[in-house]
Amino acid sequence: ISQLISSAFLATLFLQSGIDKVIDRATNLEWLTGHFAKTSLRASAPLLLFVITILELAAGTLSAVGCILLLAGQGSLIGFYGAVLAAFSILALFFGQRIAKEYAGAAVLVSYFLLTLVAIYLLGSS
């Protein structure tokens, strides 16, 4: 049950975030450009948005498929891969927050990262 719940959480988190970046790309790009306005990453905002969108959608999709496969008794490998991609997504977000000196935002990501590490452990242990 803990594997299922952790996969469902990551699927919800990353699919919602990734889909939002696709649907409302202009607003997300405007925010990201402003976020990095005083950093060397400002010019890279469109590429960064593309990369994080792909990471989040992949993490969310693999986690969702992993959930379905867990329910079908097919093991946790796909969910494990989703959790690993989720960890990389959070690391990328954390890196961006630190570069932008948005320390409060970076601190919020720590709880998500810890949950993701637990999910990797749970999903990789079967």
Side-chain angles (χ1 to χ4, degrees):
I1 191 80
S2 58
Q3 290 177 326
L4 185 65
I5 291 170
S6 61
S7 285
F9 181 87
L10 293 175
T12 303
L13 175 68
F14 286 101
L15 283 175
Q16 184 279 323
S17 185
I19 290 168
D20 177 67
K21 286 175 177 62
V22 170
I23 292 172
D24 197 7
R25 185 179 187 282
T27 302
N28 281 284
L29 182 57
E30 180 182 327
W31 181 87
L32 195 61
T33 301
H35 191 64
F36 291 126
K38 297 178 183 178
T39 74
S40 60
L41 297 177
R42 185 183 197 288
S44 302
L47 176 62
L48 295 172
L49 179 60
F50 175 76
V51 169
I52 197 65
T53 300
I54 296 302
L55 278 172
E56 288 183 346
L57 289 172
T61 300
L62 287 173
S63 294
V65 170
C67 248
I68 293 165
L69 292 174
L70 280 166
L71 284 171
Q74 298 298 312
S76 62
L77 185 61
I78 300 300
F80 171 79
Y81 290 143
V84 169
L85 275 180
F88 282 112
S89 298
I90 295 168
L91 283 172
L93 293 166
F94 184 79
F95 174 78
Q97 295 288 53
R98 298 291 298 185
I99 292 295
K101 297 184 180 180
E102 178 58 44
Y103 301 118
V108 168
L109 292 171
V110 172
S111 60
Y112 289 114
F113 188 69
L114 292 174
L115 172 71
T116 303
L117 291 178
V118 169
I120 288 170
Y121 175 76
L122 292 170
L123 293 162
S125 65
S126 61

